[in-house]
Structures are given as C-alpha cells and as structure tokens.
Amino acid sequence: MTFNKIRKQAIAEWTTLQQSQQPRILLGTATCGRAAGAMSTLETMNRELARHNINAIVTQVGCIGLCYIEPLVDIVKPNRPRICYSSVTSKIIPQLIEDYLVKDNPRPDLALGTIGDETIEGIPRLFDLPMLKPQVRIVLRNCGYINPEDIKQYIANDGYTGFIKAIKIGPERVLGEIKKSELRGRGGAGFPTGQKWEFCRRSPGKEKYIICNADEGDPGAFMNRALLEGDPHSVLEGMLIGAYTIGATHGYIYCRAEYPLAIERLSIALNRMREYGLLGDNILGTNFSFDMEIKEGAGAFICGEETALIASIEGKRGMPRPRPPFPAVSGLWGKPTNINNAETWANVALILQKGSEWYDGFGSQTSKGTKTFALVGKIERTGLIEVPLGIHLRDIIYEIGGGVADGKQYKAVQTGGPSGGCLPASLLDSPVDYDSLAKAGSMMGSGGMVVADEDTCMVDFARFFLSFSQAESCGKCVPCRIGTHQMFTILERITRGEGKLRDLEQLEQLSQLVKTTSLCGLGQTAPNPVLTTLRYFRDEYEAHINKKKCPSLVCTRLINYYILPDKCAGCMLCLRDCPAKAIVGGRRLVHIISQEKCTKCGACLDVCPERFGAVVKVSGEKVIVPGKPVPVATSKALKNKGQ
C-alpha cells in the first residue's frame, strides 16, 4: 500500500473517530499522570463504564502540560464540546461518569474547561485559561490529543508529510529551509541546526550517523520525556528528514533508562514505522535506506555532552574528548555524525510542512520559534509549557505559572538546569532567549526553570547545584575535577558560618578558571550558579560571613530553635516529636530546647500549635532562655509584671 493510501485511510479513521456517536474519554497517562494516580483512575473508569453498560471509546494520551492538576480526563459526548476535568482520582470517576454520561450533567464544578470554540453551561474554554493562553504549541502540538502508540493518528494529523515533502524537494533544498528557519539547537548550546547539518553533509564518507540526544539529566527537567511519551513520531520524523538530508545510514535515540514509558512508546513507534515502510531499505520506494534503534543510557549526567554520549553508545566509559575533530567530521565509530536534542528534531517536520517563513513568525530577532520549559519549584502552577522565544520572565512566572506559591515573594529563577544562572527580581522583565539569558549570566539549557521564593537561601541554592555538577563530573580534566570540589568546599564553609571575605574573591577566581579551562560544557558552565548568586545576591554571602547569619533561616549550622517562655502552654507536643530528645519539660511546664542536643530538624516548629506560636527559629542572634522548666502560670505572671 502506498503512503498516500495509508494517509487517506488514517484520515478517514480519524474523522470517523471525531464524529463517533459513542462517548469518547481521553486520559493523560504520561509519567506525571501516572504519578498522580492515572492508572488507578483508568481501572476505576473501565469498571464503572461496564457497570453502567456504557460503550465508550477510552484513549490514553500524553501530557498536555498541566502537571499540577493531574490526572486529567477529557470527555467528549456526541455533538458536545470536549470537556477537560482536572484532579480526577479514582474516587471522583464513579460520580463523574454517572452525572455526565448517564444523567447528562456536565458538572461545571469539576470541569477545568472546554477544548475547541464551543462552551457548555458556562465552562470556560481551556486555552483561555491563564496557564495556556500565552502558549504557542508547536513541539507539543499533538501531546494530549492523539494516542502516542497509534501511528495512524499521527499520520492523520499531517504526520510524515514533512518527510514526503523532503523527498520531493531533495536534500539541498531541505538544508536550505532548515538554515533559513534559523532553528537553533534546543539542547542548551543553541548552535544553528542547519549549519550543523551542513558540516555533516559536506563531510566525506558513505557511512554517516544521526543521534537524538534524549538523555535529559537536569534535575527538575522533563521536557524530552513528556514529548517522547506523548508524541514520539514527531521526533522520529524529524530524524528521518535529518538522515535523508545528511545522507545518514543509521540512527540512535539515546534515552536514559529512567524513562521506561518513553522507551516503551519509542519502541512501539519504531516497529510501526517499519510496518509502514518508513524505516529500512528503499523507504517508500526511494533509494534512501535508513534504520534507527534505541540506546538506553545509565543515567550519567555527563552523557548529555555529545562526545561522552558517543563514547557511551560505543560501549566505552561516558567521558568527553577534546574537539576538534568535531562529531560532524569524526563521531560515532570515527564516522561523520550529527547529534541534536529531541526537541530540536521535533521542530524539523513542521518547518518542512509549513515553511521557514512560517517558522520565522515566532520568537525574537535572534532566537526563532518556541521553547518548552519545565516550570517547577516554588510556583503555583507547575508543569510543562511551550512559549515563543523572547517572552519575558515575568509573563512566565506570574501569568503562566500563577506567581510564587503560598503568597510568598519571588526571589530568583534558575534557568538552564544545574549549570544555569540565578536571575533576581530586577531581571523579571528580561526576554527569555539565548542571547539575553547569556548576557545575564545564565543560559537556555535544555529548558529547566526552577523558581525560588523568599525562604530560599541563595548561598545554599548555589551550593546544592554545584554539588550536583561536582558529583556528576567525569573527573577527566583537572579544572572541573579539582576546581568544582574546591568551590564546593568554600561554599560548605560559608554555610557553616566559617567563611571569610577573601573566600568570595577566591570563589570568583576559581569560577573563571573552571569556566575557561574545562574540557567540556559541564565544567564550563558549572560555576554559573555561583557567579550569578555572587553577582545578584552578594549581600546574602556577606551576611553568612560577617554576621554568621542566614537571612532565609536555611543553613542549619547558623540557626537555632528556641521555645518562648511566655507563649509555651506546656502541651508536650514538641517534646514527644523531638527525634533527638533535646526538649525537656512536663505538662503545664515551659519547655526548653537543649542547644547541644538539637539537630535542627525543625520538628518542634512543625508541631507547635499555631495558636501558641511558642517555637521560633532564629539566626545570628543570641536568645537567653531559662535554665530549667518553670510552670506556665509563673512564666505568664512574670511577663505581666514586666519581668
């Protein structure tokens, strides 16, 4: 069967599905949904549908990005708009099915919004909601809409038409379109994709390789994972176009083993491609032959670096090597190799479908298109977002993310993963693009975005991310192996209240040394959290050093817990919950915390009733407490007398 016939059949089946007179239910079962209980919801749903004898079409889809209110369930009744329901646990499903599918009550109180132009009973349109309205979904266009395990649903939504166009216009014109689109690598460095492809295409040799880097080791990042779980064919089609353009014969998807669902759906997608003649010899009757396979990574952060990734595929220890030669000249097994991030590949098919001029309509002057971000940390609405490059940080944090959680004040956002910089409130109106972030001392990275609030100690924040980079260093080059260790040691000393002012100068010198002399991108960017916190939050470093005080009350060696005699009711809750047995006292006696035994765990503060507020956490101040417990009544009497 020709691809045109396959496509016509897929479109017919998709149209029939959309016009079905059976109720349709779409359940988000990506990793975020499953973590929130989606599979339990699915089990209960199937049971309730059978109990009511409802013949519904249930489809598992990917993540639409609203991770903070998973599980998400969409219900489409015949001739009704598609209604999205949030936080649908197994307890809610029986009620929802009976009310809407049986009694025709759409339950506006449970609904999040409708998908499409229609509304019902005052339920707002989903994409008019604050988190979704500013977004532009190019890469995530199919996530949450199609069954990622059904290649026909992808084909019915213009899937593989970008590849068909590539075959028609030839590799040189494809390369020209990618170059004109000004697509830059979404893995972090932002190198022009078309230029990278051209290097590999011009390299001599009949045997060439392409690789999808889906290692994604940044803490708190899940952009690639969600994309591969929700729409694997968008990535694979981009790779197919890239292989045709470059002249590659084989490809690898390098995906970390901690992404089992992504690997499962990739495996299904590759098998379906072979069935439909999209992989193997003489693809779609042409003289182009190409195949792909999955390489599971063991979870080493350093393997996100392209030369370390190549070494890992070859069965060697994942360690970077000096460049040149670059992989485009000598990569996998010494052959010309092109490596792009999963998100970069996912942009390619749409650029071919709609043209470089269409793509040029999104983004800023120097950063075209959109970017996906994992918005996490101290933010009201956490999740996966896709926005035009050039959008301001303020719009992401407050309009899309809903502001800082629990009404706290914004302090900083770290962009670019553990090697990114920390940007303060004064930079909230900065555009989010490659050049602006680099100018501010940060980076785009693969798309992690971690928000910090007023309770975050920026010295401890920098220490945490540097500890990650230091632990993940392969140790091959001295600047990274020794330099990051020395920087971490200094930060540890400062958080213990043992720092000296000269440590700040030494930190800056070490940071610049590590940045300029490290072998690979890990070492070259590892100092970013330190340099940006020194640049924007130097007063916090100085407070730790000069006042032996942690303003955010985070660094345990600089804080103490005390019980205020005039507020303690002698309820004994803190005494019972103290794991170190550091609290003494009795019922109706003012309790006392032994500073020698206290481990600074904060359990006493957590359990002290809010109406008393007797336990306080302080830093940098001396608080004198009684030497032995006294009756609560005596303590209050002394307070009334002004003693």
Side-chain angles (χ1 to χ4, degrees):
M1 187 183 295
T2 65
F3 185 79
N4 281 338
K5 288 183 178 179
I6 292 171
R7 186 163 184 262
K8 286 180 181 178
Q9 185 184 72
I11 292 172
E13 290 180 10
W14 177 258
T15 303
T16 300
L17 179 66
Q18 303 306 304
Q19 297 174 353
S20 173
Q21 293 305 300
Q22 296 173 247
R24 290 191 295 124
I25 302 176
L26 298 93
L27 173 63
T29 57
T31 297
C32 51
R34 294 181 182 217
M39 301 314 289
S40 177
T41 298
L42 177 61
E43 183 180 345
T44 305
M45 180 189 301
N46 289 331
R47 187 172 62 246
E48 289 299 308
L49 290 172
R51 187 169 71 88
H52 290 285
N53 197 28
I54 298 172
N55 186 19
I57 302 170
V58 179
T59 305
Q60 296 185 46
V61 296
C63 174
I64 201 172
L66 306 176
C67 306
Y68 74 107
I69 46 176
E70 292 277 8
L72 290 168
V73 172
D74 294 359
I75 300 179
V76 189
K77 293 185 71 172
N79 306 313
R80 290 285 189 91
R82 175 175 168 177
I83 304 177
C84 178
Y85 297 91
S86 61
S87 304
V88 183
T89 63
S90 56
K91 293 181 179 179
I92 295 174
I93 274 290
Q95 183 182 4
L96 182 59
I97 287 178
E98 182 169 350
D99 285 349
Y100 190 27
L101 294 185
V102 178
K103 299 179 179 178
D104 205 33
N105 174 11
R107 293 300 303 271
D109 56 316
L110 298 177
L112 184 63
T114 64
I115 296 178
D117 294 330
E118 301 175 74
T119 59
I120 181 172
E121 294 195 12
I123 301 172
R125 292 191 303 178
L126 186 70
F127 284 90
D128 284 339
L129 297 181
M131 186 173 187
L132 293 171
K133 192 171 184 178
Q135 296 191 39
V136 176
R137 300 174 73 84
I138 293 176
V139 171
L140 303 177
R141 59 192 179 276
N142 291 324
C143 292
Y145 288 90
I146 67 170
N147 179 352
E149 298 181 10
D150 188 345
I151 189 173
K152 286 187 177 180
Q153 292 197 10
Y154 179 74
I155 291 173
N157 287 275
D158 294 328
Y160 292 103
T161 58
F163 174 60
I164 296 299
K165 182 178 178 181
I167 292 174
K168 288 180 179 178
I169 66 176
E172 285 294 341
R173 286 185 61 189
V174 173
L175 183 61
E177 280 294 292
I178 299 300
K179 290 177 71 174
K180 282 195 294 183
S181 73
E182 299 183 50
L183 172 65
R184 297 174 67 171
R186 298 301 195 245
F191 193 82
T193 302
Q195 190 175 341
K196 198 173 189 179
W197 285 20
E198 187 171 36
F199 289 152
C200 194
R201 175 169 169 77
R202 307 295 182 221
S203 293
K206 292 183 179 180
E207 192 176 1
K208 298 180 181 181
Y209 295 93
I210 62 164
I211 298 173
C212 171
N213 183 350
D215 188 54
E216 194 170 53
D218 295 2
F222 48 90
M223 301 78 57
N224 294 173
R225 187 202 74 208
L227 175 60
L228 293 172
E229 290 175 353
D231 191 17
H233 286 285
S234 65
V235 177
L236 299 178
E237 183 182 4
M239 293 180 70
L240 203 56
I241 295 169
Y244 173 73
T245 306
I246 292 165
T249 54
H250 200 82
Y252 288 88
I253 304 106
Y254 190 92
C255 185
R256 55 182 40 230
E258 290 95 329
Y259 287 176
L261 183 59
I263 291 171
E264 177 186 341
R265 290 181 172 171
L266 276 170
S267 299
I268 293 170
L270 289 174
N271 289 333
R272 297 293 178 270
M273 288 177 71
R274 294 186 183 99
E275 291 175 13
Y276 282 72
L278 292 164
L279 284 180
D281 296 331
N282 305 115
I283 294 173
L284 299 184
T286 68
N287 60 1
F288 171 53
S289 299
F290 177 74
D291 208 344
M292 285 186 275
E293 62 183 282
I294 300 167
K295 168 66 177 178
E296 294 185 33
F301 181 68
I302 190 62
C303 285
E305 196 277 338
E306 59 182 16
T307 60
L309 184 153
I310 288 172
S312 178
I313 293 177
E314 292 175 340
K316 302 172 186 175
R317 183 178 177 185
M319 299 178 78
R321 63 162 174 80
R323 293 172 295 179
F326 290 93
V329 175
S330 178
L332 189 61
W333 290 297
K335 307 296 182 182
T337 304
N338 182 86
I339 303 178
N340 283 119
N341 167 268
E343 185 179 343
T344 311
W345 289 119
N347 277 282
V348 170
L350 268 186
I351 292 173
L352 264 292
Q353 286 176 26
K354 298 179 179 291
S356 56
E357 292 183 4
W358 169 84
Y359 192 78
D360 191 57
F362 303 99
S364 65
Q365 188 66 33
T366 58
S367 301
K368 302 298 182 182
T370 61
K371 181 74 187 78
T372 61
F373 291 99
L375 189 58
V376 297
K378 302 300 180 68
I379 192 86
E380 282 289 345
R381 298 191 284 257
T382 58
L384 180 67
I385 66 172
E386 183 177 1
V387 293
L389 285 166
I391 189 174
H392 288 187
L393 269 174
R394 185 182 302 277
D395 294 331
I396 293 177
I397 303 299
Y398 288 96
E399 188 174 353
I400 296 176
V404 182
D406 302 322
K408 299 287 182 70
Q409 290 295 311
Y410 168 91
K411 180 177 275 191
V413 62
Q414 187 192 37
T415 68
S419 302
C422 304
L423 307 180
S426 59
L427 295 180
L428 273 172
D429 292 315
S430 301
V432 178
D433 58 40
Y434 291 95
D435 300 327
S436 299
L437 290 177
K439 184 178 179 181
S442 189
M443 57 190 285
M444 183 75 70
S446 59
M449 195 170 280
V450 184
V451 178
D453 67 8
E454 61 190 87
D455 295 333
T456 304
C457 170
M458 299 311 295
V459 182
D460 181 69
F461 199 71
R463 182 198 63 81
F464 170 78
F465 283 106
L466 185 66
S467 72
F468 176 86
S469 298
Q470 197 268 326
E472 292 292 339
S473 169
C474 73
K476 184 173 183 177
C477 71
V478 172
C480 183
R481 183 178 72 246
I482 305 299
T484 56
H485 175 74
Q486 290 299 321
M487 292 167 63
F488 178 71
T489 301
I490 293 172
L491 288 173
E492 283 270 86
R493 193 162 63 237
I494 292 173
T495 58
R496 292 197 303 264
E498 301 168 1
K500 307 292 183 183
L501 279 177
R502 64 175 178 269
D503 287 336
L504 303 186
E505 183 179 348
Q506 189 174 3
L507 269 176
E508 290 175 328
Q509 291 175 346
L510 276 170
S511 295
Q512 294 299 337
L513 180 67
V514 172
K515 280 180 72 73
T516 55
T517 59
S518 290
L519 175 62
C520 78
L522 186 149
Q524 293 162 12
T525 58
N528 283 340
V530 178
L531 286 171
T532 49
T533 51
L534 280 169
R535 178 178 174 181
Y536 299 119
F537 302 96
R538 198 179 191 91
D539 57 326
E540 291 198 29
Y541 282 88
E542 292 173 348
H544 281 71
I545 293 170
N546 294 331
K547 300 179 181 178
K548 310 302 177 187
K549 176 181 180 179
C550 177
S552 301
L553 300 174
V554 170
C555 300
T556 55
R557 293 288 291 271
L558 297 178
I559 62 175
N560 295 93
Y561 291 87
Y562 297 100
I563 297 174
L564 301 176
D566 57 304
K567 292 190 176 182
C568 179
C571 67
M572 299 185 68
L573 288 176
C574 61
L575 186 149
R576 291 169 182 166
D577 274 55
C578 179
K581 308 299 180 186
I583 301 177
V584 295
R587 186 168 297 281
R588 306 297 298 169
L589 292 177
V590 172
H591 295 3
I592 297 170
I593 300 175
S594 169
Q595 299 303 315
E596 292 76 20
K597 294 182 180 179
C598 180
T599 59
K600 322 291 179 66
C601 69
C604 53
L605 184 62
D606 293 338
V607 300
C608 182
E610 191 174 338
R611 65 182 184 277
F612 299 143
V615 180
V616 294
K617 181 165 67 167
V618 298
S619 178
E621 299 175 12
K622 292 183 179 180
V623 177
I624 301 173
V625 296
K628 61 181 181 178
V630 298
V632 171
T634 304
S635 173
K636 291 180 178 178
L638 291 172
K639 180 188 176 186
N640 291 336
K641 292 181 180 180
Q643 299 181 27

